[in-house]
Amino acid sequence: MAQDNFSRVTEFILLGLSDTRELQLLFFTLFLLAYTMVLLGNLLIIVTVRTDPKLSSPMYFLLCNLSFIDICYTSVTVPRVLVALLSGHKAIAFEGCMAQLFFLHFVGSSEIFLLTVMAFDRYTAICRPLHYTAIMARGACWALVAACWVGGFIHSIVQTVLMLQLPFCGPNTIHSYFCDVPPVIPLACTDTTPTEWLMASNSGLISLGCFLVLVASYALILAKVRARLSQGHWKALSTCASHVMVVTLLFMPCIFTYLRPAGALPTSKYVCVIYTIFSPMMNPLIYTLRSSEVKESMWRLWKRCRA
């Protein structure tokens, strides 16, 4: 394909979830409620952890960072979806589409890495309690969080560069409500098979590899807890159970979406709702409802605000 055809497409059309106006208004209401819950819930967690000295352990430091990532992650896609559902304007500039793709993978992969770090934190606390303070020192926590962001940036740069090298000169209709690799790459005016396999090995293997690490860590924790049935270990196991719920909500749709070439099977845009909206919405609910310390800290914060 000639190079002068590369920039022929200047915008894409996002078809969204439905063409029916009634369903669009329904999705707008549901997405607005979910986005509001994501913002308020995660901001509440951040404020609670930052203002309560009792929540100074590495687990809550990582939870605070997870809440910040969830806010960023949903903000990449949901505000534009809300505007499109309300106004009916479905066009997105080529540059805006690539920017959305970049930040989606940047923040999304950073969250995957952070969830893996959180599993390591729980494994260290339960299986190596005598060394926990030394291993998960404040400096080590900051280094691990920074590594998550750097890893997410490198992953996203690779994805975006591979997309920018493709010529888009024909169809510009995206069968989704946001720009991502699976729905966009089939629109390229060239054979994308090598690029699809590269992207699948990048995003898919990252999702699968981190998921396997998480499963292995939780299996080791379960084996340890079965040998020590004390109250403290059951409390730690309850914390891990909430992590498993988050992991299942996030990783399963990601593995289904990315661990295959884009043209192998059609990607359901409704599956994407799970990891772009539903999973970030559930994080604050899961962590606050299953953590008595966070609920008590929130209650103390509420009483201070009313005083």
Side-chain angles (χ1 to χ4, degrees), residues 26 119 220 248:
L26 175 62
L220 292 173
T248 303

Side-chain angles (χ1 to χ4, degrees), residues 83 241 293:
V83 172
E293 292 178 338

Side-chain angles (χ1 to χ4, degrees), residues 45-82:
I45 290 177
I46 292 174
V47 172
T48 302
V49 173
R50 296 292 295 175
T51 57
D52 194 336
K54 294 183 178 180
L55 301 180
S56 59
S57 67
M59 181 180 73
Y60 294 112
F61 171 77
L62 298 175
L63 175 59
C64 185
N65 282 273
L66 178 65
S67 295
F68 175 72
I69 287 180
D70 279 335
I71 292 174
C72 297
Y73 186 57
T74 53
S75 298
V76 173
T77 58
V78 177
R80 198 186 185 289
V81 173
L82 294 175

Side-chain angles (χ1 to χ4, degrees), residues 122-134:
R122 290 300 83 204
Y123 166 79
T124 307
I126 297 173
C127 299
R128 303 188 65 185
L130 298 179
H131 302 88
Y132 178 72
T133 305

Side-chain angles (χ1 to χ4, degrees), residues 158-159 162-163 166 181 185 191-206 258-265:
V158 172
Q159 297 288 95
L162 289 174
M163 289 294 293
L166 297 175
V181 173
I185 196 171
D191 180 19
T192 59
T193 302
T195 305
E196 289 179 29
W197 280 106
L198 285 173
M199 291 185 168
S201 62
N202 188 351
S203 298
L205 289 181
I206 286 177
Y258 296 111
L259 194 60
R260 55 187 172 81
L265 289 172

Side-chain angles (χ1 to χ4, degrees), residues 45-224:
I45 290 177
I46 292 174
V47 172
T48 302
V49 173
R50 296 292 295 175
T51 57
D52 194 336
K54 294 183 178 180
L55 301 180
S56 59
S57 67
M59 181 180 73
Y60 294 112
F61 171 77
L62 298 175
L63 175 59
C64 185
N65 282 273
L66 178 65
S67 295
F68 175 72
I69 287 180
D70 279 335
I71 292 174
C72 297
Y73 186 57
T74 53
S75 298
V76 173
T77 58
V78 177
R80 198 186 185 289
V81 173
L82 294 175
V83 172
L85 288 171
L86 196 61
S87 65
H89 182 69
K90 300 181 178 181
I92 182 173
F94 178 86
E95 294 80 6
C97 184
M98 293 297 107
Q100 188 179 65
L101 186 149
F102 170 80
F103 286 107
L104 180 75
H105 282 267
F106 176 30
V107 183
S109 56
S110 298
E111 178 170 5
I112 287 176
F113 294 140
L114 182 60
L115 287 171
T116 308
V117 171
M118 293 176 72
F120 173 74
D121 170 73
R122 290 300 83 204
Y123 166 79
T124 307
I126 297 173
C127 299
R128 303 188 65 185
L130 298 179
H131 302 88
Y132 178 72
T133 305
I135 295 176
M136 297 300 296
R138 197 67 172 180
C141 290
W142 277 106
L144 289 171
V145 170
C148 292
W149 284 102
V150 172
F153 179 77
I154 294 174
H155 160 75
S156 186
I157 281 290
V158 172
Q159 297 288 95
T160 307
V161 169
L162 289 174
M163 289 294 293
L164 290 174
Q165 291 178 347
L166 297 175
F168 293 93
C169 56
N172 67 336
T173 302
I174 300 176
H175 293 271
S176 184
Y177 57 93
F178 65 99
C179 289
D180 197 6
V181 173
V184 174
I185 196 171
L187 304 180
C189 304
T190 187
D191 180 19
T192 59
T193 302
T195 305
E196 289 179 29
W197 280 106
L198 285 173
M199 291 185 168
S201 62
N202 188 351
S203 298
L205 289 181
I206 286 177
S207 301
L208 180 61
C210 290
F211 177 71
L212 293 177
V213 170
L214 286 163
V215 170
S217 66
Y218 292 134
L220 292 173
I221 290 173
L222 179 60
K224 192 74 171 181

